[in-house]
Amino acid sequence: MKRKIKSNGGFTLIELIIAMAVLAFLMTAVCAFMGSSVASYKKSKADISVHNSAQETYDQITDSIMQASDIYVLGYISADGSDVLDFEISDRDAQGSVELKYFVRDEAQKIALEAMPEYVSGYPIEYFENVAAGSSIYVKELIIDTAVAIDMNYVGGYTPGATEFTNNLTGEADIEIVQATSKVGGVDTPVYSDAGNPVYNINDTLRNIYSFDSDNLYYERKYAFMTELNDYYNSADADDTLINYTYSSSFSFLNLPDGTTVSGCTIVVDAENGSIGLDLNFSDKNMTYTTLGMVNIRNSYVLKAKK
């Protein structure tokens, strides 16, 4: 009679250990690959976010500059105009000192600035045309007034027939706002825009306020007449917080040895040719995005006094 021999076909302990080691190696490789892919994705996402923020911010500020009727700048500049701060070097604290000044067009604009609630006394006021050619102004606050069409639906306290108002930016009172007319067949006929809205005898003024604090850009808006559209920080309002006006939080900034914090918004003023060079330095996740371009202002009198 033949005896059946049982075959013990399982893994030996050594084979099992080797298989587990191979599996562990493969799992480590897969995890490393997945981790690298996730990190690369997060960096790409952060880079895209910074890029989009940079482009959006650049477009917003340059559009205001192009349409400007008045520009006021509070910023840092070296005494001789030679200091160029570098936002990309690793040792950002070891750089030269700068002086905080206001920059305006002329004496009339200086007087207007001193009457504005945004004005902070104690800083020197200098004219654009006296800034050394090519000097960089590192912006702390940029105030840009632009002319916009009035929509009386947003004028507080307006009632049909009322024509006298106060300019809430300048305090000028008894300003007459009436619908514009044109002669049609010898008859005064009300003027309407292509969109069918009434056209008035004067424009409103929109004050764009860009404030730079470390890596944050805050954006506020004030109107001369359409006060119902106002959107600006009021420290006296307990429900108002500055964070509500954050436009971007990805700016590069420098902490200088004297304690000064300088933002990554830089302008170069060419008063003679009526243009401003705007340089925005963004930094996030070790990625820096810089955009640079000259912006031509449509009104020739914004940077240089009328002759």
Side-chain angles (χ1 to χ4, degrees):
M1 183 174 81
K2 293 183 179 179
R3 181 182 295 176
K4 292 183 178 180
I5 301 174
K6 293 182 179 180
S7 175
N8 187 7
F11 291 106
T12 65
L13 180 60
I14 294 176
E15 290 173 331
L16 185 60
I17 292 173
I18 293 173
M20 290 179 66
V22 171
L23 180 61
F25 176 78
L26 292 175
M27 289 297 294
T28 301
V30 170
C31 290
F33 174 76
M34 291 182 64
S36 176
S37 297
V38 171
S40 178
Y41 169 76
K42 288 183 177 180
K43 184 181 185 305
S44 297
K45 186 176 180 181
D47 290 352
I48 292 172
S49 176
V50 173
H51 181 281
N52 291 341
S53 178
Q55 191 61 54
E56 181 181 352
T57 304
Y58 181 79
D59 291 343
Q60 171 65 40
I61 298 177
T62 54
D63 184 64
S64 297
I65 291 174
M66 282 190 291
Q67 308 293 335
S69 55
D70 287 296
I71 294 178
Y72 310 84
V73 181
L74 176 62
Y76 296 94
I77 192 169
S78 64
D80 60 1
S82 62
D83 272 351
V84 177
L85 303 180
D86 189 348
F87 291 91
E88 299 183 24
I89 66 173
S90 57
D91 187 9
R92 295 185 174 188
D93 293 345
Q95 301 197 45
S97 61
V98 286
E99 182 181 4
L100 186 60
K101 296 181 179 181
Y102 276 104
F103 299 89
V104 299
R105 179 182 62 235
D106 53 18
E107 180 68 18
Q109 200 177 41
K110 175 178 178 290
I111 295 172
L113 170 65
E114 292 172 334
M116 291 165 51
E118 293 79 19
Y119 172 67
V120 179
S121 61
Y123 298 120
I125 300 178
E126 189 170 330
Y127 300 151
F128 289 126
E129 62 183 0
N130 293 335
V131 178
S135 293
S136 296
I137 301 174
Y138 299 85
V139 180
K140 182 175 181 61
E141 185 171 72
L142 183 61
I143 302 173
I144 304 174
D145 288 349
T146 60
V148 294
I150 295 178
D151 185 339
M152 298 304 288
N153 292 315
Y154 298 107
V155 177
Y158 169 69
T159 55
T163 58
E164 291 185 349
F165 300 88
T166 297
N167 185 319
N168 290 279
L169 297 180
T170 65
E172 183 183 357
D174 302 328
I175 297 175
E176 186 177 24
I177 302 178
V178 296
Q179 187 172 353
T181 60
S182 64
K183 290 287 186 181
V184 178
V187 179
D188 287 335
T189 304
V191 177
Y192 292 87
S193 68
D194 292 339
N197 300 317
V199 175
Y200 293 91
N201 61 316
I202 62 173
N203 287 321
D204 201 341
T205 298
L206 167 59
R207 177 161 293 165
N208 303 276
I209 306 168
Y210 301 94
S211 303
F212 299 85
D213 181 14
S214 297
D215 59 346
N216 291 323
L217 163 61
Y218 302 102
Y219 176 45
E220 306 165 71
R221 297 182 295 274
K222 288 184 179 181
Y223 289 83
F225 303 105
M226 295 187 294
T227 55
E228 293 183 6
L229 295 177
N230 281 355
D231 188 16
Y232 65 93
Y233 172 63
N234 182 1
S235 60
D237 185 351
D239 297 325
D240 207 357
T241 58
L242 191 58
I243 196 67
N244 293 334
Y245 304 93
T246 302
Y247 193 86
S248 175
S249 58
S250 299
F251 269 90
S252 296
F253 64 98
L254 301 172
N255 291 316
L256 301 184
D258 61 359
T260 300
T261 301
V262 181
S263 81
C265 176
T266 308
I267 64 171
V268 176
V269 178
D270 184 351
E272 188 65 31
N273 295 306
S275 61
I276 287 179
L278 178 66
D279 194 2
L280 303 180
N281 293 273
F282 284 76
S283 184
D284 190 26
K285 306 296 183 183
N286 297 319
M287 175 268 193
T288 299
Y289 180 92
T290 302
T291 178
L292 177 64
M294 294 300 295
V295 184
N296 293 316
I297 303 173
R298 294 182 179 178
N299 296 312
S300 60
Y301 55 82
V302 174
L303 301 179
K304 191 175 180 181
K306 297 178 180 178
K307 294 183 179 180

